Amino acid sequence: MPQKRRKRADERREDIMAAAERVFAERGYRAGSLAAIAEAVGISKQTLLHHFQTKEDLLVCVLERRDLRNLEIVADLGLTTEAMARLVDFNLDWRGLVHSYTVLSAESVAEDHPAHEFFTARYDRSRHELADNLRAEHGDRLPGGLTPEQAAPLIIAVNDGLQLQWLLNPRGVAISELFRAFLATLVPGEPSART
Amino acid sequence: MPQKRRKRADERREDIMAAAERVFAERGYRAGSLAAIAEAVGISKQTLLHHFQTKEDLLVCVLERRDLRNLEIVADLGLTTEAMARLVDFNLDWRGLVHSYTVLSAESVAEDHPAHEFFTARYDRSRHELADNLRAEHGDRLPGGLTPEQAAPLIIAVNDGLQLQWLLNPRGVAISELFRAFLATLVPGEPSART
């Protein structure tokens, strides 16, 4: 493929992912149709399917794209508890994307689901990377008493679990405050944590 | 309706829910068909639909039935952190039901989902009841420093979030040990909690 044509294809993929992120954010995964995404980009559904074979493929790419953006936020701050708390705040502006993420991660538990490998690998990687970073920051025990290998899956679980409660009742669940209160039990005395 | 006929209808509903629980546990919610549930009871799908109008209605009833059973476990022990840890252990024997619960609770975030009201009300009630019980047990602050109103949604979030990670990777996530380690940060020194 000539270089110029490849560049156009990359840009088109990027346009589609940006539109998909908006459509999934506004309507959720199930109601957000490929036709609506194609229309937002100004292409036919057939052209969209040339770039992404299925709706699930497209969502996995959108989620990977979001992960890369999250990693940039974390990289700027270092993977501190403060960075994790900011990620929680950041996601509050993207209710539809949190929604589609929550639905797809649950659906993906089925072994024949198209995103099963993505989510299994993503959680394994997240647990290991977070544990490694907590170990580099705090050693074998966090100040609150947990090991890095205990704290990492618990931090991820609290984030996912609070997002579900918040999606069901946005006014009834103060997700940022609760997440910081939780971090304060893991790392007492850190300024970001105590509410 | 004569008393004897009502009793038969109640028993039939109970048989259907028990079969549905097994089918959902074995195959998950999406793959567990009404036809398979009807066959397990030895009735036609039409007869099943006389008792439960939709598959979602049936699942909501199964979930409510599970909640009642969980409440019995909690009632025997009192709503202590030990009782909550035992509930986590208990659910490990029901992977398919945890799976269907995880999928349906995520799906139900959509306001037009048939289980939306069920899950919204269930989480609101769970948070309030758990906070009330923690307050009765520990007063205004748990030993680890959180208020009962902070601890309740966090305990529920950890349970849900760990179940998702465990469903994706059963061998990689020691859910019972992690849940007890988390409880130990909320209530340090309680014997059940430290791993």
Side-chain angles (χ1 to χ4, degrees):
Chain A
M1 197 186 282
Q3 198 181 349
K4 192 173 174 187
R5 202 171 139 205
R6 180 183 297 280
K7 183 167 184 299
R8 277 211 301 272
D10 288 347
E11 284 173 359
R12 178 57 52 87
R13 276 178 65 88
E14 184 60 32
D15 289 346
I16 294 168
M17 286 190 285
E21 191 171 73
R22 284 196 305 274
V23 169
F24 290 150
E26 285 164 14
R27 308 185 196 183
Y29 171 70
R30 299 173 90 190
S33 69
L34 290 181
I37 294 164
E39 192 184 334
V41 182
I43 60 177
S44 70
K45 187 173 159 187
Q46 209 52 41
T47 303
L48 190 157
L49 289 170
H50 175 70
H51 294 277
F52 298 91
Q53 290 193 334
T54 67
K55 195 170 144 189
E56 289 93 347
D57 288 342
L58 177 53
L59 184 52
V60 167
C61 289
V62 167
L63 292 170
E64 284 175 344
R65 187 166 165 275
R66 188 181 78 143
D67 279 353
L68 285 176
R69 191 173 52 190
N70 285 359
L71 281 176
E72 282 166 20
I73 296 173
V74 170
D76 283 350
L77 290 163
L79 196 83
T80 60
T81 49
E82 174 60 24
M84 291 180 282
R86 285 199 198 178
L87 275 180
V88 170
D89 296 343
F90 174 78
N91 283 331
L92 293 187
D93 291 333
W94 293 88
R95 186 179 195 284
L97 210 61
V98 172
H99 181 174
S100 59
Y101 181 91
T102 299
V103 171
L104 195 77
S105 61
E107 282 178 357
S108 79
V109 168
E111 289 186 7
D112 59 351
H113 192 281
H116 181 75
E117 290 306 319
F118 171 81
F119 278 106
T120 302
R122 183 186 187 281
Y123 276 98
D124 287 347
R125 196 173 58 241
S126 296
R127 279 193 298 270
H128 284 112
E129 286 182 7
L130 186 50
D132 286 348
N133 281 287
L134 290 170
R135 183 172 292 283
E137 195 178 355
H138 298 290
D140 288 343
R141 293 266 174 194
L142 277 69
L146 293 183
T147 66
E149 287 69 28
Q150 291 171 329
L154 289 170
I155 290 169
I156 295 165
V158 165
N159 187 18
D160 289 341
L162 285 180
Q163 283 183 340
L164 175 64
Q165 293 180 52
W166 171 74
L167 287 165
L168 282 166
N169 186 349
R171 293 183 189 175
V173 179
I175 188 168
S176 292
E177 288 76 7
L178 289 168
F179 192 75
R180 285 167 192 264
F182 165 68
L183 293 179
T185 67
L186 303 188
V187 188
E190 203 161 276
S192 72
R194 177 61 60 189
T195 52
Chain B
M1 196 185 281
Q3 199 181 350
K4 192 172 173 187
R5 202 170 141 205
R6 179 182 298 280
K7 184 165 185 297
R8 279 209 301 272
D10 288 348
E11 284 172 359
R12 178 57 53 87
R13 276 178 66 88
E14 184 61 31
D15 290 346
I16 294 168
M17 286 190 285
E21 191 173 71
R22 285 195 305 274
V23 170
F24 289 150
E26 286 163 13
R27 309 184 194 184
Y29 172 70
R30 298 172 91 189
S33 69
L34 290 181
I37 294 164
E39 191 185 334
V41 182
I43 60 177
S44 70
K45 187 173 160 188
Q46 209 53 41
T47 303
L48 190 158
L49 289 170
H50 174 70
H51 294 277
F52 298 92
Q53 291 193 333
T54 66
K55 194 169 146 189
E56 288 93 347
D57 287 342
L58 177 53
L59 184 54
V60 167
C61 289
V62 168
L63 292 170
E64 284 175 344
R65 186 165 165 276
R66 188 180 78 142
D67 279 352
L68 285 176
R69 192 174 48 190
N70 285 359
L71 281 177
E72 282 166 18
I73 296 173
V74 170
D76 283 350
L77 291 164
L79 195 83
T80 60
T81 49
E82 174 60 25
M84 290 180 284
R86 286 200 195 175
L87 276 179
V88 170
D89 295 343
F90 175 78
N91 283 332
L92 293 187
D93 291 333
W94 293 88
R95 187 179 195 282
L97 208 62
V98 171
H99 181 174
S100 59
Y101 180 91
T102 299
V103 171
L104 195 77
S105 61
E107 283 177 355
S108 80
V109 167
E111 289 186 7
D112 59 353
H113 192 281
H116 181 74
E117 289 306 318
F118 171 81
F119 278 106
T120 302
R122 183 186 187 282
Y123 276 98
D124 287 348
R125 197 174 55 241
S126 296
R127 280 193 297 271
H128 284 112
E129 287 182 6
L130 185 49
D132 286 348
N133 281 287
L134 291 170
R135 183 172 293 282
E137 195 179 356
H138 298 290
D140 288 343
R141 292 267 173 193
L142 277 69
L146 294 183
T147 66
E149 287 68 30
Q150 291 172 328
L154 288 170
I155 290 169
I156 295 165
V158 165
N159 186 19
D160 289 342
L162 284 181
Q163 283 183 342
L164 175 64
Q165 293 181 53
W166 171 74
L167 287 166
L168 283 166
N169 186 348
R171 293 184 189 176
V173 179
I175 188 167
S176 292
E177 287 75 7
L178 288 167
F179 192 75
R180 285 168 191 265
F182 165 67
L183 293 179
T185 67
L186 303 188
V187 187
E190 205 162 276
S192 72
R194 177 60 61 190
T195 52

